[in-house]
Amino acid sequence: MTLFDHHIHSDRSDGTVSLADRAKSVSVRPHGVSDHFPWRDKMKGEDDVLRYMDDAARLGLRVGLEYDLGVAPDLRPTTRDGLHYLIGALHQLYVDGEWIHYDDAGAFLKGRTKEYGEASRFADSDLVSRMRERTLEVVRDGIERVGIDILGHATMSPLTALGDPEVMYPPAWQEQLIRMCSEADVAIEVNEAYGVPHRAFLERAQAMGARFSVGSDTHFELKPLDKTMAMIKEARLDEARFLYGTRVRKVSPSGRAPVRG
């Protein structure tokens, strides 16, 4: 089975490859595009999203969006329904009146930096606990109100950059997050770029009946999914549980409350 790569960026946000060239690379492996929303001067509002959707669809691409949870403005239900799938992902978190940004943690997890320079900031166990609680709240909003289909790079955060994710994200917390996703039929992404979630998380997710999706999260040319395939093999994930370029989740006509299908 050839798995579908849902999480690919183009130059419509922070990628370096045009939509036209992305349309050519589907011959290498099946994939869609899922650019960031919002993104600076390129994807600021819904009109930008609609143009992107139209342009990508004309090229024959499956069209998704990486919706910045906790930050992105609401999409009209008709816009959401016009997408093949909607990825929700956290890139920052608002805790105790300030934003905690994930850029440095992400660079470390990708191997671009050898040390995580912000580690001392998260020595406060109370702050770490509040970050975990707030993460669940934001993801729940993405599932119940926004209507996401995929949770992107679920544990990419400063907490994973600090060390053992089984310590930073205790099993009981993981089970809460997995349960939210599995009960709503929201797929959990196996992310090539950051190598998340870790094996024990994926094994728990499969045991709890979760769906999965593949996300290279590439901003450049397409490369093999070596890390992803190793993660799938090590966790013994059932490839029949993976999405293939379109949503399976059902939401209400308003796009707000989830319904079981």
Side-chain angles (χ1 to χ4, degrees):
M1 179 178 180
T2 301
L3 294 172
F4 188 97
D5 188 348
H6 296 79
H7 196 157
I8 288 185
H9 297 280
S10 78
D11 60 5
R12 290 301 180 93
S13 61
D14 61 344
T16 61
V17 179
S18 69
L19 288 175
D21 284 336
R22 288 299 190 208
K24 296 174 184 176
S25 61
V26 296
S27 62
V28 178
R29 74 167 169 268
H31 69 76
V33 287
S34 52
D35 277 294
H36 289 284
F37 178 65
W39 187 258
R40 299 174 188 171
D41 59 339
K42 295 182 179 181
M43 294 273 266
K44 294 186 295 184
E46 196 145 8
D47 288 344
D48 298 320
V49 172
L50 292 171
R51 280 191 292 271
Y52 154 77
M53 291 168 61
D54 288 344
D55 292 345
R58 274 195 293 269
L59 291 164
L61 284 161
R62 299 283 179 95
V63 191
L65 203 64
E66 184 177 8
Y67 186 94
D68 199 345
L69 294 175
V71 174
D74 288 346
L75 293 170
R76 291 190 293 268
T78 52
T79 301
R80 181 204 175 275
D81 291 346
L83 295 162
H84 289 98
Y85 52 88
L86 181 62
I87 301 172
L90 275 165
H91 300 92
Q92 58 274 306
L93 196 62
Y94 194 66
V95 180
D96 296 343
E98 65 175 327
W99 285 102
I100 297 172
H101 296 280
Y102 289 9
D103 294 351
D104 288 349
F108 175 74
L109 292 171
K110 284 182 176 180
R112 293 179 179 172
T113 57
K114 294 183 178 180
E115 295 183 358
Y116 178 43
E118 292 187 324
S120 60
R121 180 182 182 187
F122 303 103
D124 181 352
S125 61
D126 288 338
L127 173 60
V128 169
S129 178
R130 290 192 295 274
M131 288 175 65
R132 288 194 290 254
E133 292 172 4
R134 182 62 182 148
T135 297
L136 293 176
E137 292 170 359
V138 174
V139 172
R140 183 178 293 110
D141 181 69
I143 292 172
E144 295 181 354
R145 188 182 61 82
V146 178
I148 64 172
D149 302 288
I150 298 168
L151 178 60
H153 47 68
T155 56
M156 188 284 288
S157 80
L159 302 189
T160 298
L162 290 174
D164 186 349
E166 282 288 286
V167 174
M168 302 313 299
Y169 287 116
W173 182 94
Q174 295 176 40
E175 289 169 3
Q176 288 185 70
L177 182 63
I178 294 165
R179 188 172 298 109
M180 280 196 294
C181 292
S182 61
E183 289 181 351
D185 237 353
V186 170
I188 295 169
E189 181 183 79
V190 182
N191 186 280
E192 174 82 13
Y194 300 107
V196 296
H198 61 287
R199 178 175 175 174
F201 184 108
L202 292 173
E203 290 173 340
R204 287 188 182 95
Q206 174 150 270
M208 293 174 69
R211 293 187 186 270
F212 301 97
S213 76
V214 165
S216 63
D217 205 351
T218 185
H219 297 70
F220 309 101
E221 71 278 5
L222 231 56
K223 293 183 178 179
L225 293 167
D226 295 338
K227 189 185 299 181
T228 295
M229 299 313 295
M231 292 165 70
I232 290 171
K233 182 178 180 180
E234 289 168 5
R236 298 183 180 180
L237 301 185
D238 180 358
E239 293 188 3
R241 299 294 298 170
F242 280 76
L243 299 189
Y244 196 89
T246 189
R247 60 173 49 104
V248 296
R249 184 186 183 203
K250 294 181 175 66
V251 296
S252 69
S254 69
R256 292 296 181 249
V259 297
R260 298 305 297 266

